[in-house]
């Protein structure tokens, strides 16, 4: 899922002010739906154990929820990629990586999507690769080209494909139908290429800034410690 809006370049001195736009945001819809489902199931089972359990069972349930809920949120709802004309911010399950485009060496996709920056590799959890969706998009693109259909019209039979995505038609744009993850990577590459060569990659401000997500790690570790203690005394 991505929003079509992005930051515009700063206007030249003396020029009219440009309106501010939100970052482009990329998330896995399937991951978010799965995460909500897992949270509902975990809360239902844990709540039942807390309300009806005997002995140490309620305490085990509380500790288990303290461990499980942050991990479920981290793996499903938290991952996101935020990008604008200046930088990319990758929110993975347990870390957040922020890099200006001048410090990005590349964005690539094979079996996973990866950001290369500062001689390191960071996975983009929010943009999972689906080989099945990629194959379906390729078949749809081949059928569209064979039929001579250069533009999909949403809302009609045979219109915009459910598994592939065609970029918004603009003069000179590549009309290839792509899987969602491949289209997202194409947009990120365009942002990176637009800033290529505009600053020194070795400058300190171009280095990736990595922050651990302690708001997820701390409660999960606390839950694990409580489970170990309960297991030792029970």
């Amino acid at each position: 899922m991505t929003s079509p809006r992005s930051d515009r370049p700063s206007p030249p001195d003396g020029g009219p002010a440009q309106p501010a736009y939100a970052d482009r945001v990329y998330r896995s819809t399937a991951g978010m739906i799965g995460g909500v489902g897992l949270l509902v199931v975990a809360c239902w089972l844990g709540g039942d154990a807390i309300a009806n359990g005997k002995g140490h069972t309620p305490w085990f349930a509380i500790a288990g929820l303290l461990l499980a809920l942050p991990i479920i949120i981290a793996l499903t709802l938290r991952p996101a990629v935020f990008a604008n004309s200046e930088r990319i911010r990758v929110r993975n399950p347990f870390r957040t990586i922020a890099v200006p485009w001048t410090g990005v060496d590349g964005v690539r996709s094979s079996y996973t999507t990866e950001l290369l920056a500062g001689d390191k590799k960071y996975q983009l959890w929010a943009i999972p690769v689906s080989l099945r969706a990629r194959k379906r998009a390729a078949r749809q693109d081949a059928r569209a080209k064979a039929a001579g259909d250069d533009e999909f019209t949403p809302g009609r039979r045979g219109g915009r494909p459910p598994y592939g995505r065609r970029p918004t038609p603009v003069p000179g744009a590549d009309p290839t139908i792509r899987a969602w993850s491949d289209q997202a990577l194409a947009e990120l590459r365009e942002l990176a290429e637009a800033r290529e060569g505009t600053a020194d990659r070795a400058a300190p401000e171009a280095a990736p800034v990595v922050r651990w997500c302690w708001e997820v790690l701390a409660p999960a570790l606390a839950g694990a410690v409580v489970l170990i203690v309960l297991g030792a005394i029970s």
Side-chain angles (χ1 to χ4, degrees):
M1 180 185 303
T2 175
S3 111
R5 301 177 299 171
S6 63
D7 288 348
R8 291 186 178 179
S10 301
D13 294 339
Q18 297 288 338
Y21 286 81
D23 291 352
R24 298 184 186 184
V25 183
Y26 302 88
R27 297 176 184 268
S28 170
T29 302
M32 296 178 67
I33 294 173
V36 171
L38 288 173
L39 288 175
V40 170
V41 172
C43 290
W44 174 51
L45 295 176
D48 180 70
I50 293 170
N52 303 315
K54 305 297 182 180
H56 292 295
T57 300
W59 296 105
F60 274 106
I62 292 173
L65 287 176
L66 192 60
L67 171 63
L69 295 184
I71 291 178
I72 292 174
I73 292 172
L75 295 176
T76 59
L77 302 182
R78 174 178 158 78
V81 173
F82 304 88
N84 58 31
S85 61
E86 299 297 327
R87 68 169 188 166
I88 179 172
R89 182 163 61 93
V90 180
R91 200 168 68 187
N92 281 341
F94 305 113
R95 294 192 302 174
T96 299
I97 303 99
V99 195
W101 287 115
T102 52
V104 172
D105 299 319
V107 183
R108 69 186 184 187
S109 171
S110 55
Y111 293 104
T112 61
T113 55
E114 299 169 343
L115 173 71
L116 307 177
D119 297 326
K120 292 186 178 180
K121 178 175 64 177
Y122 305 97
Q123 287 191 343
L124 307 183
W125 280 70
I127 309 178
V129 173
S130 171
L131 298 181
R132 183 178 181 184
R134 185 177 286 174
K135 290 177 181 178
R136 289 189 178 185
R139 288 197 299 267
Q140 290 168 347
D141 185 63
R143 286 197 298 267
K145 290 179 178 178
D149 184 11
D150 292 330
E151 292 185 7
F152 274 92
T153 303
R156 68 173 176 83
R157 185 176 179 83
R160 186 177 296 277
Y163 293 98
R165 179 182 175 195
R166 183 189 294 276
T168 304
V170 295
D174 182 4
T176 303
I177 299 172
R178 299 185 179 95
W180 173 78
S181 60
D182 292 333
Q183 179 59 30
L185 264 291
E187 293 174 3
L188 294 177
R189 289 191 187 103
E190 289 177 3
L191 291 171
E193 291 170 358
R195 298 286 296 175
E196 189 174 7
T198 59
D200 182 9
R201 290 182 179 271
E205 59 270 17
V209 177
V210 180
R211 183 183 72 85
W212 287 96
C213 182
W214 290 108
E215 58 269 27
V216 169
L217 293 171
L221 291 173
V225 170
V226 173
L227 281 175
I228 293 172
V229 173
L230 287 173
I233 65 177
S234 61

